[in-house]
Amino acid sequence: MVPSHYSDSPSSVPSHLIPGSPQYRDYVLRQRKRNQKKERHRSLKRWLIVLIIVALLATMAFGSYWVWKRYFHQIPANGVYAKAPSVVSEIKPADFGLSTFLPLYGPGNKVTPISYGDVAILAGAQGTNTTLMSISETGTALWQTTVPEPLIACAHSLVENKLPCLFKGKEDSGVALVDITNGHTSWIYQSREPMINLDVSSGSTITLLGQDLSVTPIDSSGVQLDEAMEQIQGDEEQLADVSQCDLPSHGTLSYPERYTHLSKDLSLITHNGLTQVIDRSNNQVLASTSGKVLEDFEPPVSSAHDNVKNSESGSSISPQEDEATPPENKDEASDAPDKTDQSKNSSQDESAKQNNILVVASPTGCSPALLINPDSHRFLFLPDDVIVPAGQGGTIPSTVIRDGTFHTMNWEAPTVGMAVYRDTDAAFEVGPELIQSEHKTIVLTRQSVIALDRHTGRIIWTTDLDARYGIVLQDVVLLSLPDGTLQALALQNGERIWSTNAYGFSSIIPGSHQSINIHSSQGLMKWVPAQAGKDGPQVQVGRAAQPGTVKPGIRFIEGDCVRVEKLDSGKDQYKARVTKVDCSLQGAEPVVSVLTTNDVARGKDSKDYLEQCEKTDGARSALTLDSPLVDNNISGICTGEASH
């Protein structure tokens, strides 16, 4: 079609061309093509002008946004933690001649100095050697002791101001006592059996946990007080089915190794992902399930939907508790609970602590959660469809997950109540980590970080992060990521405001005067808010003490009793393991004489020791001692007739 402003009339065609003739038609077609080409050029120019205008507008908009972002935008976190803090002290393993710091309580536990009264003990490793040290607040090692064996675990309690620690040798296990005031360390016990943990009970009794979960009691001098007690499986109804659980073969962050005494009669063992409650009188399993041990108590969540009594909103877990009524909350949600709610929350919190409640919860929900009340010897499984998330720092949460949503939980009854967050569309199939603030619940799911309104459950923001641990500091969420990054998010909207390296997975511990302690296997750091470090970080490096070594401390005196375990034999002698035992135990041989290196040097022929023992009345056998754990001055012992 020819554009309207061009005409095919004779007035626009040369007069010598006759309309309708072939020349006339050719001329018109050429004119038409020429006009179409001109029109395309005009359209292209118009589009170029439009694109240039759009580009200019976009540039102006971006510039305006940058200026606003740079000079006028207020970051939704403006507290002292809104900027990356300054490091005021940094302690590294290399400062003490070590390659890494170790968890004192065994694999999977946090790497942090453990306080025993006024003394903080830290463990580290260099090769197969273990170093124990007492560390001051300034990072100075007051003493260091190096043990030429890998550390398995130290006890939670002391024996007469000395810390029992278990070490793994090439073919045996050894127990050493560490004086926490000066670091003097001596071996007290050696066992051929593979031991995996230890703790202190009944004053000075040290209980050793075997690989088969048997228990062996010894005293502070290394005397075995009783026969090793084999573990007995209890009532099948108290043993959870863990066949669907992918249990680890060693301690992990989700399943840290643990061996502690809950009361006079109960012990708790977590080993390879399985947690058991044990009757110490017969080493019988009273209850077991898979999971992490949660302690203490997280204050209850205030919710607008919690004003319904138990008969309408909850289902009792135990038939005996049907009449129990959980505390009622306020009729309407508010930012700050009134005095009545504070009193109720405080009462429930104190009640839980007084009753020493523990909960064993599987992070994946593969086995039922177990409620433990050591004071009343009460063990109760929660329903299979109830998942217990881990509260901040491994505390018992005030909510549980059922059907993918959060429900209130009265642990005293115990009773699962109504759904707390009716308005949320989030669903959780595994047990997340929870961090509570005044108005928000922060949920760590290993794939994302989700902030929920603490009263309604409405999702406020979501950030894609694999966070393993975190805390809320004022208006900032501080998270530890698996790659070693410490990431700070604005509590208001989840915006990433700063990040820094923290030497691998770290535990975050709030300190005094707004400081933050970051503990990991590659460093212990103390941070203060950025404005406190105007002159730049002043790093104080840890200083090593003169290293000491563990002493061969197993000693024998007349009147001790030993038991001899034959290992292998030759033509004239046999190798044996000598263990100090209580004289009342079967097979105990009394020590009637102790041979020193002044009598017979170590490594001499057996007849030399026999000749010396023949001089002692009542001696029936001679035993040579060459273990590096035995006092170097002792070369052998003479024993009498064994008891029967």
Side-chain angles (χ1 to χ4, degrees):
M1 178 178 180
V2 179
S4 61
H5 54 273
Y6 291 104
S7 173
D8 291 338
S9 65
S11 61
S12 62
V13 180
S15 59
H16 68 276
L17 295 179
I18 301 173
S21 66
Q23 293 81 2
Y24 182 93
R25 289 194 296 272
D26 291 342
Y27 178 82
V28 171
L29 289 175
R30 287 196 301 271
Q31 284 292 94
R32 183 182 300 170
K33 292 179 180 179
R34 187 178 298 113
N35 293 338
Q36 289 175 343
K37 186 176 181 180
K38 289 180 180 180
E39 181 63 20
R40 285 196 295 268
H41 288 168
R42 289 190 183 94
S43 297
L44 181 60
K45 289 179 181 178
R46 286 195 295 270
W47 277 111
L48 287 175
I49 293 172
V50 171
L51 290 175
I52 291 172
I53 293 173
V54 170
L56 288 174
L57 291 175
T59 302
M60 293 173 62
F62 177 79
S64 300
Y65 173 77
W66 184 88
V67 172
W68 172 79
K69 184 77 174 179
R70 178 68 177 82
Y71 297 102
F72 301 102
H73 172 55
Q74 296 296 320
I75 294 177
N78 53 20
V80 297
Y81 301 102
K83 296 181 180 179
S86 300
V87 178
V88 294
S89 67
E90 185 175 19
I91 304 171
K92 298 180 180 179
D95 299 332
F96 308 98
L98 306 172
S99 60
T100 183
F101 290 132
L102 298 173
L104 204 66
Y105 287 156
N109 287 273
K110 295 178 181 178
V111 176
T112 186
I114 303 297
S115 295
Y116 294 90
D118 297 330
V119 179
I121 306 298
L122 181 64
Q126 179 62 54
T128 58
N129 292 345
T130 299
T131 295
L132 299 172
M133 68 183 78
S134 171
I135 190 167
S136 69
E137 292 183 357
T138 61
T140 300
L142 305 178
W143 54 256
Q144 287 182 235
T145 296
T146 300
V147 182
E149 304 289 356
L151 174 68
I152 298 177
C154 292
H156 290 71
S157 304
L158 302 176
V159 175
E160 300 170 354
N161 215 41
K162 295 181 180 179
L163 177 64
C165 293
L166 178 65
F167 298 88
K168 179 176 177 57
K170 293 181 179 179
E171 298 179 352
D172 49 26
S173 304
V175 176
L177 279 186
V178 184
D179 190 321
I180 65 170
T181 60
N182 53 29
H184 293 169
T185 304
S186 297
W187 293 107
I188 63 167
Y189 182 79
Q190 188 174 27
S191 171
R192 252 190 105 200
E193 300 300 322
M195 300 295 179
I196 61 172
N197 221 320
L198 81 169
D199 201 19
V200 176
S201 63
S202 304
S204 61
T205 301
I206 302 169
T207 307
L208 299 174
L209 183 65
Q211 181 69 44
D212 58 355
L213 301 187
S214 61
V215 291
T216 303
I218 64 173
D219 65 14
S220 58
S221 64
V223 174
Q224 183 176 328
L225 302 176
D226 206 342
E227 304 294 350
M229 190 182 301
E230 300 294 330
Q231 190 177 70
I232 303 172
Q233 294 298 316
D235 186 350
E236 289 296 329
E237 294 183 357
Q238 293 297 96
L239 308 180
D241 180 8
V242 296
S243 59
Q244 302 302 314
C245 299
D246 184 16
L247 299 180
S249 59
H250 53 80
T252 65
L253 293 171
S254 299
Y255 304 94
E257 292 288 292
R258 175 166 178 157
Y259 179 47
T260 52
H261 298 305
L262 303 179
S263 66
K264 179 181 178 181
D265 304 316
L266 297 180
S267 294
L268 186 141
I269 299 170
T270 300
H271 179 57
N272 293 350
L274 187 67
T275 297
Q276 301 181 344
V277 183
I278 308 297
D279 183 342
R280 291 169 54 194
S281 66
N282 56 10
N283 206 27
Q284 181 180 11
V285 179
L286 300 179
S288 73
T289 192
S290 169
K292 182 178 182 179
V293 180
L294 308 179
E295 301 179 80
D296 296 325
F297 196 81
E298 185 181 273
V301 174
S302 176
S303 171
H305 303 296
D306 294 341
N307 58 332
V308 185
K309 291 187 177 181
N310 182 55
S311 59
E312 301 174 77
S313 65
S315 58
S316 177
I317 294 175
S318 172
Q320 292 83 356
E321 305 296 339
D322 285 337
E323 298 178 1
T325 303
E328 297 179 12
N329 291 328
K330 295 166 61 178
D331 292 339
E332 295 182 0
S334 64
D335 291 343
D338 63 14
K339 293 182 180 180
T340 304
D341 282 334
Q342 289 178 341
S343 174
K344 292 177 181 178
N345 293 352
S346 174
S347 174
Q348 187 175 5
D349 191 1
E350 289 301 317
S351 176
K353 289 183 178 180
Q354 289 175 1
N355 289 327
N356 196 26
I357 291 175
L358 296 91
V359 175
V360 183
S362 168
T364 62
C366 64
S367 62
L370 176 65
L371 173 66
I372 304 171
N373 191 326
D375 296 336
S376 63
H377 280 232
R378 187 181 182 194
F379 317 103
L380 184 65
F381 284 113
L382 273 63
D384 292 342
D385 62 345
V386 173
I387 299 176
V388 181
Q392 185 170 348
T395 58
I396 300 173
S398 57
T399 56
V400 295
I401 297 174
R402 172 175 267 179
D403 299 326
T405 59
F406 287 100
H407 289 66
T408 58
M409 184 68 193
N410 178 9
W411 293 103
E412 292 299 311
T415 307
V416 178
M418 286 187 63
V420 181
Y421 304 141
R422 287 184 173 179
D423 300 336
T424 183
D425 56 358
F428 305 95
E429 297 180 357
V430 298
E433 297 279 332
L434 301 182
I435 312 171
Q436 300 281 22
S437 69
E438 183 178 1
H439 303 295
K440 295 179 179 67
T441 295
I442 310 300
V443 184
L444 312 182
T445 67
R446 297 291 179 92
Q447 288 84 31
S448 59
V449 180
I450 304 171
L452 305 176
D453 184 288
R454 191 166 180 178
H455 306 299
T456 67
R458 177 179 59 87
I459 296 180
I460 301 173
W461 51 260
T462 299
T463 300
D464 293 334
L465 277 176
D466 179 9
R468 303 300 175 87
Y469 180 80
I471 59 174
V472 172
L473 299 170
Q474 295 182 355
D475 54 359
V476 169
V477 184
L478 193 58
L479 303 170
S480 178
L481 310 185
D483 64 358
T485 301
L486 208 63
Q487 178 69 61
L489 306 180
L491 179 61
Q492 177 180 336
N493 61 5
E495 180 179 332
R496 305 187 191 197
I497 53 178
W498 59 264
S499 63
T500 187
N501 179 42
Y503 300 128
F505 177 81
S506 307
S507 57
I508 311 168
I509 306 170
S512 58
H513 307 294
Q514 297 181 331
S515 63
I516 311 171
N517 297 305
I518 309 295
H519 295 167
S520 75
S521 61
Q522 294 303 308
L524 310 179
M525 296 181 289
K526 183 176 182 180
W527 291 355
V528 295
Q531 54 263 43
K534 295 179 180 179
D535 297 329
Q538 299 176 354
V539 179
Q540 300 173 346
V541 178
R543 297 186 298 277
Q546 184 66 30
T549 57
V550 62
K551 297 179 180 179
I554 299 178
R555 298 180 56 84
F556 298 88
I557 60 175
E558 294 182 15
D560 284 346
C561 290
V562 299
R563 187 152 55 191
V564 181
E565 179 186 3
K566 187 174 180 180
L567 301 181
D568 54 47
S569 59
K571 182 178 180 181
D572 300 320
Q573 60 183 3
Y574 65 86
K575 293 183 179 181
R577 173 78 65 190
V578 179
T579 305
K580 293 172 65 175
V581 297
D582 188 273
C583 294
S584 64
L585 298 185
Q586 185 175 7
E589 302 179 23
V591 176
V592 296
S593 180
V594 178
L595 304 180
T596 68
T597 53
N598 292 329
D599 300 321
V600 183
R602 282 191 170 185
K604 294 295 183 179
D605 192 80
S606 60
K607 64 181 181 61
D608 296 328
Y609 300 93
L610 288 170
E611 290 176 358
Q612 289 294 325
C613 287
E614 288 174 352
K615 300 176 183 178
T616 303
D617 292 337
R620 297 174 60 87
S621 63
L623 298 170
T624 63
L625 302 174
D626 57 6
S627 169
L629 278 60
V630 175
D631 190 318
N632 288 331
N633 295 322
I634 301 176
S635 62
I637 55 176
C638 308
T639 62
E641 185 174 0
S643 60
H644 298 286

